Amino acid sequence: MKTLTPEVNELLDKLYNLRGEDSIILVEMEKQKNKAEETKERTTNQKKDLQKKISELEKLHEELDEQGEKLKEVLSGINRDEYKTVLDRLRIDFNPKALVEKLDHSLPRTIDSVKDDTKKAEDQLVKVEEEMNNAITTIEELGLRKDAALSNQEKLNEYFELALTGRINITRDSITSLLEQFSFSEEDQREAAKLLMFPEDALFTYDEKVKSKEKSGKSISEVIAEAKTASIEESHIEEKEEPVQVEMETKLDPKEEMIQTLKEFGIDYLDFKPNEIDQLIANFNVETIKANLNLLNKKGIGLDMLQCHIEIMYDKDLKEKIDLLAKVGKEMVDIYLNPNILTKYTKEELNRAIDNIKANGLDPHEVPLMAY
């Protein structure tokens, strides 16, 4: 009979999380949707403002051009000497010829300045429209992905109900292909298929714990978190032979230390895919990770952007990269929305990318991070 070992417990944690309304997949989709909707609203307003600004600048250009020519024509037809007595007596400084010269000198530069402002506004409008269209596309794609995720969740719940009532008649391939949609590793797919196709004590014990605690009004995630903590505590108790000495000498293994470190920053390791967790454990350095998480918090960069970008956590050059981007005028929100910039380059490569942008006559501040 398969017992509820820490490994089985961890696998069931993932599976039961995916069964609930607070499924990590649905929660992450909701975060992405909210972010995209905020972007859509912001860029829609920016688009209106820019269109109004461009319209006003175009009108200004037209009026400067038209009125400037008329004024020059009028001034050119005035002979100051014909009004000399009045102008001198009233001490009026009026010199049509000098004014025409000033118009010839200053008006073209003023019109060029208006043209430049119009071009900048038009370029900004293109970027804003692109960002807005990307947000709209993201919202539409997330709608489709959520429908698929809910369908997969419904199927997963159906499989569990069949397994728990002893009526499971699903093929192994059906289960593994479903779990593949949830990005489970092949090993976890096989283990989960065994649990469902041949339900033993482990599954029933875990399900009983979940249902008993759900009655208290807690979400599945809260239940799982409590079960996970209890499981870790129980495993520690079982390992102790000399309680006092072991407590003083026991050192957390890398995975437990990683879980504990993330927990200090309000991060649930279950928010990441199994391969990402393996990647973090392989590169785990508690000092580097704590320093980077503290840095992101200090800069106001949301830690949820670490999902699918877990290598940022152990990047020893993270501070230098952020400083480089800040130096060219990038806001922290730009980095939050484009975390790929931190994983795409080493600090030396990022520096070269910025230099190349400058060498091409462009301002790195004006170039969107997605175009770096």
Side-chain angles (χ1 to χ4, degrees):
M1 301 292 283
K2 186 178 286 294
T3 57
L4 192 56
T5 63
E7 292 76 19
V8 173
N9 196 87
E10 183 178 335
L11 177 57
L12 286 169
D13 282 348
K14 298 176 189 175
L15 289 165
Y16 269 73
N17 170 267
L18 294 172
R19 296 185 62 193
E21 292 180 0
D22 51 356
S23 157
I24 183 175
I25 292 177
L26 296 177
V27 169
E28 178 58 24
M29 283 185 182
E30 190 62 25
K31 285 181 184 177
Q32 292 178 13
K33 181 186 175 186
N34 290 339
K35 193 183 300 182
E37 286 177 341
E38 289 173 4
T39 300
K40 178 187 174 183
E41 182 179 358
R42 172 177 57 79
T43 51
T44 298
N45 293 332
Q46 286 179 328
K47 179 180 179 180
K48 290 178 182 177
D49 292 341
L50 285 167
Q51 287 175 328
K52 181 181 177 183
K53 182 178 180 179
I54 291 169
S55 177
E56 291 173 348
L57 286 169
E58 288 175 341
K59 183 180 178 183
L60 177 61
H61 180 193
E62 183 181 338
E63 290 177 348
L64 285 170
D65 201 15
E66 183 180 334
Q67 294 177 19
E69 289 302 318
K70 285 183 179 179
L71 184 56
K72 283 196 292 183
E73 185 179 344
V74 170
L75 290 171
S76 298
I78 297 176
N79 184 349
R80 187 185 189 283
D81 292 340
E82 294 179 5
Y83 311 96
K84 186 176 184 303
T85 302
V86 174
L87 294 173
D88 290 347
R89 188 67 179 177
L90 298 178
R91 296 181 180 178
I92 296 174
D93 184 15
F94 178 63
N95 188 333
K97 184 178 180 181
L99 288 173
V100 170
E101 290 176 354
K102 186 172 183 179
L103 281 169
D104 285 337
H105 176 72
S106 300
L107 186 59
R109 291 195 302 177
T110 301
I111 291 175
D112 286 343
S113 175
V114 172
K115 285 181 180 178
D116 288 342
D117 288 344
T118 304
K119 178 66 167 56
K120 287 178 183 177
E122 288 172 341
D123 290 344
Q124 184 63 26
L125 178 60
V126 170
K127 295 175 186 176
V128 166
E129 285 181 331
E130 182 181 0
E131 189 178 4
M132 181 183 70
N133 291 333
N134 287 340
I136 292 172
T137 300
T138 297
I139 292 169
E140 292 172 350
E141 289 177 348
L142 284 170
L144 296 173
R145 285 171 54 196
K146 185 174 182 179
D147 288 343
L150 287 171
S151 176
N152 288 336
Q153 184 185 65
E154 184 179 357
K155 191 178 293 185
L156 181 64
N157 280 326
E158 179 188 347
Y159 289 177
F160 266 89
E161 290 305 317
L162 290 172
L164 290 164
T165 55
R167 296 182 292 117
I168 191 73
N169 58 353
I170 308 299
T171 65
R172 177 180 176 278
D173 287 344
S174 297
I175 298 173
T176 56
S177 62
L178 174 61
L179 295 179
E180 188 177 3
Q181 302 302 311
F182 292 111
S183 299
F184 273 61
S185 67
E186 290 186 5
E187 181 181 353
D188 282 349
Q189 289 174 33
R190 289 194 298 270
E191 288 301 313
K194 291 178 187 176
L195 284 169
L196 290 171
M197 295 178 70
F198 310 104
E200 298 182 359
D201 287 348
L203 177 58
F204 295 109
T205 300
Y206 189 96
D207 188 70
E208 185 178 342
K209 285 184 180 180
V210 171
K211 286 179 178 175
S212 64
K213 292 187 178 181
E214 277 183 338
K215 291 178 183 177
S216 65
K218 296 177 181 177
S219 68
I220 288 183
S221 287
E222 290 172 323
V223 173
I224 290 172
E226 289 183 6
K228 180 172 59 184
T229 302
S231 175
I232 291 174
E233 290 174 351
E234 287 171 7
S235 65
H236 284 174
I237 292 171
E238 289 172 2
E239 291 170 1
K240 291 181 180 179
E241 293 179 359
E242 299 179 14
V244 177
Q245 289 180 0
V246 173
E247 186 175 349
M248 293 174 59
E249 296 174 3
T250 297
K251 183 177 179 181
L252 295 176
D253 67 36
K255 183 171 184 178
E256 290 177 354
E257 188 175 15
M258 179 270 295
I259 293 172
Q260 187 173 321
T261 301
L262 296 184
K263 190 175 181 181
E264 289 177 24
F265 291 86
I267 302 173
D268 188 342
Y269 83 99
L270 291 175
D271 287 346
F272 302 96
K273 298 176 182 176
N275 64 307
E276 291 178 315
I277 292 298
D278 292 341
Q279 184 181 342
L280 184 57
I281 293 173
N283 295 276
F284 188 77
N285 181 291
V286 68
E287 290 79 12
T288 300
I289 289 175
K290 284 188 175 182
N292 285 348
L293 294 177
N294 280 320
L295 174 67
L296 294 175
N297 278 333
K298 183 179 178 182
K299 296 290 186 181
I301 302 175
L303 299 183
D304 57 319
M305 69 96 167
L306 294 170
Q307 293 176 22
C308 299
H309 303 93
I310 203 165
E311 58 267 45
I312 291 173
M313 243 190 266
Y314 54 82
D315 186 348
K316 294 181 180 179
D317 297 325
L318 181 64
K319 184 179 185 303
E320 288 80 357
K321 291 180 184 178
I322 292 177
D323 288 344
L324 276 173
L325 295 170
K327 190 174 180 181
V328 296
K330 292 301 179 184
E331 302 289 341
M332 295 303 107
V333 68
D334 295 328
I335 298 173
Y336 172 76
L337 295 173
N338 299 276
N340 285 339
I341 194 67
L342 299 173
T343 60
K344 183 178 180 181
Y345 298 114
T346 63
K347 66 178 179 181
E348 291 81 8
E349 291 169 342
L350 179 58
N351 206 13
R352 284 198 294 272
I354 292 172
D355 289 340
N356 287 336
I357 290 172
K358 292 178 180 177
N360 287 315
L362 300 174
D363 182 354
H365 174 61
E366 298 296 332
V367 177
L369 285 179
M370 66 180 67
Y372 268 51

